[in-house]
Amino acid sequence: MIPELQNIGALRKVLPYGRYLATMSEVESRYAPNSNENRKAIWNAFLQVTDIVRQVYGKLAAAWIGGSFITSEDSPHDIDVVYLVDTNSYTKGISDPRGQFVTNILLRKNDQNPRLHSLVDAYLLPIPPTTVVNDYNYSAARGYWDQFWSKARFEEGNDRWLYPAAGYLEVIIDGYNN
């Protein structure tokens, strides 16, 4: 269940600090009502990009959604998302040229094509099996994204944006089981 937005003194109301499990339909009904053309366009673009990413990897464990789309912002410019993909799906995805192209965009390795859609700021986080002990690269990347989605914008010059203060959403798509 998505909690109510709160006023923490930031430029917009945000989710309380933490990661909240939500379904696609909950996110859509809360943040992309039919009455708001801008938010509906962003949501539809997100669904298109999610379909592309799913075609490439075959399976998406989950998506973390953050940024102004899940705040009280009247007219967000885009939706911010990181797709979590298990190792087997990632390996499958990078085994063909289309998958390599999409992976390079999601990992920001191709400056010529920075996004799959202008309304979706999407990234990729390959996740190893939990039996892997002390995978530093994964742990560092997961920690980075957790902190990144937990930031909120405050008034210009206020360094509070440097520290976690807001929440974000986790949508389970295909799940973490192989």
Side-chain angles (χ1 to χ4, degrees):
M1 184 172 142
I2 303 172
E4 292 300 316
L5 299 177
Q6 63 180 8
N7 185 347
I8 62 168
L11 296 177
R12 335 171 164 87
K13 289 182 179 179
V14 298
L15 291 170
Y17 180 66
R19 184 172 67 234
Y20 300 95
L21 196 57
T23 65
M24 291 287 259
S25 58
E26 287 173 324
V27 178
E28 179 180 20
S29 65
R30 172 70 80 80
Y31 297 106
N34 289 329
S35 60
N36 187 317
E37 289 182 32
N38 177 55
R39 285 181 168 275
K40 201 62 174 178
I42 292 170
W43 182 256
N44 289 335
F46 166 69
L47 293 177
Q48 290 171 3
V49 170
T50 300
D51 283 344
I52 291 168
V53 174
R54 200 173 200 180
Q55 288 171 24
V56 166
Y57 301 108
K59 179 183 167 194
L60 293 177
W64 286 356
I65 301 172
S68 64
F69 187 77
I70 61 166
T71 71
S72 63
E73 173 71 33
D74 287 332
S75 296
H77 295 100
D78 62 12
I79 187 170
D80 300 313
V81 60
V82 62
Y83 293 104
L84 288 83
V85 178
D86 68 57
T87 302
N88 291 336
S89 298
Y90 178 78
T91 301
K92 175 188 176 281
I94 61 172
S95 68
D96 70 58
R98 182 174 183 228
Q100 292 169 12
F101 177 78
V102 169
T103 300
N104 285 338
I105 289 173
L106 294 174
L107 293 176
R108 297 302 197 263
K109 293 184 177 182
N110 184 344
D111 292 335
Q112 301 302 315
N113 298 310
R115 290 184 176 193
L116 293 172
H117 194 292
S118 62
L119 297 176
V120 182
D121 196 5
Y123 302 88
L124 182 69
L125 178 58
I127 52 175
T130 56
T131 57
V132 175
V133 178
N134 198 17
D135 185 329
Y136 177 78
N137 290 333
Y138 167 71
S139 296
R142 186 175 175 100
Y144 168 82
W145 286 117
D146 180 68
Q147 184 171 4
F148 184 83
W149 294 142
S150 298
K151 293 183 180 182
R153 293 184 192 270
F154 292 84
E155 294 296 328
E156 189 69 34
N158 185 328
D159 65 0
R160 283 185 61 197
W161 73 271
L162 296 171
Y163 302 98
Y168 62 97
L169 302 174
E170 178 174 24
V171 177
I172 304 298
I173 298 176
D174 294 314
Y176 292 94
N177 298 332
N178 283 333

